[in-house]
Amino acid sequence: MGEKKLEMFEIGPCDNPYHMGFLTGQRFSDKIRSRLSTDLILQNQLLPFAKTPESQALIKALTINNQKKFPKYWDELLGTAEGSGVPVLHVLIIIQMILINFRKEILPFLPKSTAGNSNADTSLCNAPDDCSDVLVVSDTMAIAAHNEDANVALVGHTYIIKATLPNGLSFVGYTYAGELPSCAFGFNSNGLAFTLNSVPPSEAEIVAGGIGRNFISRDLLEATSIDDALRKIQSSEVSVGHSYNLINIGARRILNVETASRNRVSVHEVGATPFFHANMYLHLQVEQVEDDNSKSRQERAAILPKRSKDDFLSLLGDTDHKRYPIYMTGPTLYTLCTAMIDLDDKTLSIIEGNPKNGKVACIFSMSTKELSHIEINQYY
């Protein structure tokens, strides 16, 4: 199994956020509708829950709070939904896309009977999303390398949005079909880049109806600086936690920011000691779910060499652990691609296949306002 050719859509400036979303939905209608029909988490967990009385207050609170805080991104999401649908189905598509954009904020509140639905592939539905990052800022190199891991059902359901906004800002976001860009990684013409890692707080740490992480990461694509990005994260009252790797290209800085509900934030500045982050809290004191997958990757990364860019790629391509490898090839979780951000070269490379010998699909220059890119399809 492998990721199909990664498509990119260049868009903008548009008259308004709805129009940008609508054009995106039109362009990737097939991918979006394919995802909605094959996403087992959506079909077997989120949609059945959305039909129950218990779900109404939660979904209403998520909708109201996120629409109020981020009205233009809400319009963009609705535009994407309507652009991807047909008249008879567009209401259902809008509902489904709202659910997948809030899936992390909804899944913790599903009744255990829903999660254990006998008709569902529970191993697939209950698996977390996993990503791995290795980061360093030393005298000799400044690198952020990221494995984008997801459920195998999402293979072939991603694309890149390269957008120019009316104010002149441009951004590039790796995007899951039907979701706001980008809950994975991206950068903008202000020299701000980021990669993301999911973290699993315990049920007691989750607050219903807060701000969704998809909306926060979409807002990061418009950050003016690393300090502005940090303010955007700190000012959002989230339902569940997240780990953000904020990257300032010009200032040669990387911050790892761990968050949790009730406005809890911890910031770690990455330095000369390489920093590996999987899917568990490392410095924010939060009760979290025990995750053997993340523990295994953390332990393996701790003993692997991290002296060069090649070492970073070899680490992210490591398959030594048979059950919980850093580089994932199924049957449940899959590494869709690897992003390599070089702060000194001011480039972002997207690598398909195992990054140890994978194929570079494209390289973006992060040193110009145009965010130019080259499709090269060659081995790293």
Side-chain angles (χ1 to χ4, degrees):
M1 180 185 294
E3 173 77 278
K4 298 176 183 177
K5 179 177 172 58
L6 187 59
E7 298 177 75
M8 184 172 72
F9 184 41
E10 298 190 43
I11 186 171
C14 295
D15 293 337
N16 53 62
Y18 177 89
H19 187 218
M20 187 171 83
F22 189 87
L23 293 177
T24 300
Q26 279 189 324
R27 172 64 177 79
F28 294 110
S29 175
D30 290 344
K31 281 184 180 287
I32 293 170
R33 293 168 65 185
S34 171
R35 184 212 171 156
L36 296 181
S37 65
T38 59
D39 189 324
L40 292 182
I41 293 175
L42 172 65
Q43 296 296 333
N44 293 329
Q45 292 185 284
L46 296 177
L47 274 175
F49 176 64
K51 297 175 183 177
T52 65
E54 296 82 4
S55 71
Q56 300 308 307
L58 173 61
I59 296 174
K60 182 178 180 180
L62 286 167
T63 298
I64 292 173
N65 292 335
N66 284 268
Q67 185 178 13
K68 181 179 179 180
K69 184 172 180 64
F70 297 114
K72 64 179 183 178
Y73 304 145
W74 187 265
D75 288 346
E76 183 180 329
L77 176 59
L78 292 183
T80 304
E82 296 196 6
S84 67
V86 294
V88 176
L89 299 175
H90 84 277
V91 174
L92 176 59
I93 288 174
I94 290 172
I95 293 170
Q96 292 182 99
M97 286 178 57
I98 289 173
L99 293 175
I100 62 173
N101 276 273
F102 287 134
R103 63 192 177 92
K104 288 293 186 180
E105 288 73 34
I106 294 174
L107 286 172
F109 296 96
L110 264 61
K112 296 298 184 287
S113 59
T114 304
N117 185 343
S118 61
N119 294 322
D121 181 344
T122 55
S123 66
L124 195 61
C125 289
N126 295 333
D129 293 330
D130 291 281
C131 294
S132 298
D133 281 76
V134 58
L135 316 160
V136 71
V137 179
S138 70
D139 292 339
T140 57
M141 64 176 180
I143 298 291
H146 169 87
N147 273 0
E148 183 59 30
D149 305 322
N151 192 291
V152 293
L154 291 172
V155 173
H157 294 109
T158 61
Y159 43 80
I160 295 174
I161 297 297
K162 182 179 178 184
T164 300
L165 303 181
N167 64 4
L169 176 73
S170 298
F171 69 75
V172 170
Y174 184 91
T175 307
Y176 287 90
E179 298 189 35
L180 289 168
S182 164
C183 63
F185 58 87
F187 70 98
N188 68 24
S189 54
N190 289 324
L192 188 283
F194 62 84
T195 67
L196 306 176
N197 308 89
S198 175
V199 287
S202 68
E203 289 187 17
E205 301 283 1
I206 299 169
V207 174
I211 299 302
R213 290 177 298 178
N214 278 23
F215 285 82
I216 298 169
S217 57
R218 173 63 184 86
D219 200 30
L220 292 181
L221 287 170
E222 300 190 25
T224 58
S225 66
I226 197 168
D227 291 331
D228 183 44
L230 191 56
R231 283 192 295 270
K232 289 177 181 295
I233 293 169
Q234 292 172 325
S235 66
S236 296
E237 298 187 3
V238 299
S239 289
V240 291
H242 213 43
S243 172
Y244 303 85
N245 301 302
L246 301 180
I247 302 156
N248 187 316
I249 302 300
R252 210 170 178 268
R253 293 181 69 196
I254 301 176
L255 303 179
N256 174 252
V257 184
E258 293 182 343
T259 68
S261 60
R262 296 183 286 276
N263 294 106
R264 288 169 292 173
V265 177
S266 176
V267 180
H268 168 77
E269 178 123 16
V270 175
T273 301
F275 181 78
F276 180 84
H277 203 291
N279 302 98
M280 55 193 294
Y281 288 101
L282 298 181
H283 47 92
L284 181 62
Q285 299 304 305
V286 174
E287 182 182 341
Q288 60 184 314
V289 175
E290 293 296 317
D291 181 4
D292 291 338
N293 190 326
S294 282
K295 284 184 178 180
S296 173
R297 284 179 284 140
Q298 289 285 161
E299 291 168 359
R300 178 63 178 161
I303 63 173
L304 289 174
K306 295 177 281 292
R307 294 181 295 269
S308 67
K309 184 185 292 189
D310 286 342
D311 285 347
F312 278 28
L313 293 173
S314 293
L315 184 157
L316 291 181
D318 187 74
T319 57
D320 181 74
H321 197 290
K322 298 305 178 186
R323 185 173 184 185
Y324 301 125
I326 294 175
Y327 180 78
M328 304 178 184
T329 57
T332 303
L333 294 170
Y334 197 89
T335 301
L336 301 179
C337 69
T338 298
M340 170 66 77
I341 299 174
D342 189 319
L343 283 71
D344 293 324
D345 290 346
K346 295 181 172 58
T347 57
L348 183 150
S349 303
I350 298 179
I351 305 167
E352 296 178 326
N354 190 306
K356 289 192 292 187
N357 52 13
K359 187 170 64 175
V360 178
C362 57
I363 297 178
F364 291 90
S365 171
M366 305 171 72
S367 62
T368 66
K369 292 292 185 180
E370 289 76 27
L371 309 184
S372 58
H373 72 282
I374 306 171
E375 293 186 19
I376 55 177
N377 292 314
Q378 68 183 33
Y379 288 97
Y380 206 91

